[in-house]
C-alpha cells in the first residue's frame, strides 16, 4: 500500500490518537508515545508479514551491535547513528529495502529497539519483553483499525480528519482520570467492603458484651 501525502496527514494524527487512547484511557504502556502509530504506518505500507520480518531483522541487528557499542561508551547520538547503519545494512543484506520507498522507518525502529535495550538494562528482561510486545501489538491494532476505516477515510475531506485527530489527541492527552487496567486494583477493596459485617447498633448484645468484658478487665 502506497500512502499519499494527504493520507499521511490523516493516518498519523488518527494513529497517534488511537495510541494515546490505549495509553491514557485503557492503560496499556508502550515504548514511546507515538512509536506505535509510526510502526502502524510501516505495517500498512509494507504489509503485516513483511513488516514483521523487517522488525525481526532489525531487532537482531540492534541487539547484536548494542553490546559492542556499550563497551565503547559512546554518546547517545553516536550510538543511534551506528544502530541506524546496522539496521540499514541488515535490511539491505536481507533484501528488505526497495526502490519504491516501501522501507521500514529505520530511525523509528532503531529508537524503539534502543529504548527496549535500555529498559532491559534498568528494569529487567521481562519488563522489556512486555513493553516491546505491547508496542508491537498496539501498532498492529492501530494498523487494523486504520485499514478497516480506509474507505471512510478516503471519502472524507483530509483536512477535517486531520483536525479531528489533533482534537482527539488534545482531549485524550489531557485525561488524568482512572484507567481501565487500574480498576482491578480496587476489586479487592470492593469485595472486602461487601463481605464485611456491619457495625452493631448501639445497645445491641455485642456492645453489652464488649462493655462487660471491659468491666471484667478493670
Amino acid at each position: 500500500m502506497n500512502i499519499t501525502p494527504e493520507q499521511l496527514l490523516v493516518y498519523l494524527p488518527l494513529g497517534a490518537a488511537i495510541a494515546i487512547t490505549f495509553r491514557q484511557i485503557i492503560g496499556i504502556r508502550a515504548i514511546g508515545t507515538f512509536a506505535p502509530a509510526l510502526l502502524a504506518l510501516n505495517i500498512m505500507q509494507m504489509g503485516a508479514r513483511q513488516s514483521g520480518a523487517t522488525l525481526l531483522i532489525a531487532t537482531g541487528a540492534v541487539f547484536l551491535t548494542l553490546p559492542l557499542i556499550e563497551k565503547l561508551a559512546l554518546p547517545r547520538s553516536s550510538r543511534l547513528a551506528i544502530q541506524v547503519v546496522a539496521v540499514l545494512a541488515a535490511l539491505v543484506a536481507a533484501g528488505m529495502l526497495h526502490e519504491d520507498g516501501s522501507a521500514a522507518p529505520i530511525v523509528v525502529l532503531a529508537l524503539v529497539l534502543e529504548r527496549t535495550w535500555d529498559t532491559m538494562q534498568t528494569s529487567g528482561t521481562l519488563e522489556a519483553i512486555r513493553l516491546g510486545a505491547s508496542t508491537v501489538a498496539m501498532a498492529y491494532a492501530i494498523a487494523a483499525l486504520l485499514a478497516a476505516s480506509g474507505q471512510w477515510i478516503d471519502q472524507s475531506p483530509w483536512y477535517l480528519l486531520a483536525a479531528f485527530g489533533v482534537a482527539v489527541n488534545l482531549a485524550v492527552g489531557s485525561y488524568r482520570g482512572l484507567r481501565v487496567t487500574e480498576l482491578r486494583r480496587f476489586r479487592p477493596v470492593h469485595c472486602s467492603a461487601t463481605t464485611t459485617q456491619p457495625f452493631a447498633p448501639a445497645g445491641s448484645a455485642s456492645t453489652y458484651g464488649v462493655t462487660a468484658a471491659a468491666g471484667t478487665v478493670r
Side-chain angles (χ1 to χ4, degrees), residues 1-211:
M1 176 182 178
N2 293 325
I3 300 178
T4 63
E6 291 79 9
Q7 290 175 331
L8 181 62
L9 289 173
V10 174
Y11 287 148
L12 188 55
L14 290 180
I18 298 173
I20 292 179
T21 302
F22 275 117
R23 186 183 185 94
Q24 295 294 109
I25 304 299
I26 302 178
I28 300 177
R29 296 175 57 198
I31 299 175
T33 304
F34 300 107
L38 296 175
L39 291 177
L41 294 179
N42 176 49
I43 294 170
M44 295 179 64
Q45 188 176 12
M46 299 185 65
R49 293 184 179 179
Q50 188 174 0
S51 60
T54 301
L55 182 60
L56 291 177
I57 294 173
T59 302
V62 169
F63 277 78
L64 285 176
T65 56
L66 265 176
L68 302 177
I69 298 174
E70 291 288 340
K71 296 180 180 179
L72 299 177
L74 297 174
R76 185 178 181 87
S77 57
S78 300
R79 289 170 50 187
L80 180 59
I82 296 176
Q83 290 168 38
V84 169
V85 173
V87 172
L88 183 60
L91 293 177
V92 170
M96 302 299 294
L97 296 182
H98 304 283
E99 295 180 356
D100 58 358
S102 58
I106 307 301
V107 177
V108 176
L109 283 175
L111 283 172
V112 171
L113 294 173
E114 185 187 24
R115 288 283 302 274
T116 305
W117 175 269
D118 293 339
T119 304
M120 183 182 300
Q121 298 298 315
T122 57
S123 302
T125 304
L126 292 179
E127 180 68 11
I129 293 176
R130 190 181 68 83
L131 286 179
S134 64
T135 302
V136 175
M138 191 183 300
Y140 273 92
I142 294 172
L145 291 174
L146 292 178
S149 307
Q151 185 177 1
W152 172 72
I153 291 175
D154 293 338
Q155 294 176 354
S156 302
W158 66 268
Y159 50 87
L160 293 180
L161 293 176
F164 173 75
V166 172
V168 172
N169 279 287
L170 294 175
V172 179
S174 60
Y175 176 76
R176 295 296 183 270
L178 196 64
R179 296 175 174 86
V180 175
T181 55
E182 294 175 341
L183 295 177
R184 60 184 179 182
R185 294 192 305 172
F186 297 93
R187 187 177 302 173
V189 178
H190 175 72
C191 295
S192 62
T194 55
T195 56
T196 302
Q197 294 289 339
F199 291 105
S204 62
S206 60
T207 304
Y208 288 128
V210 172
T211 306

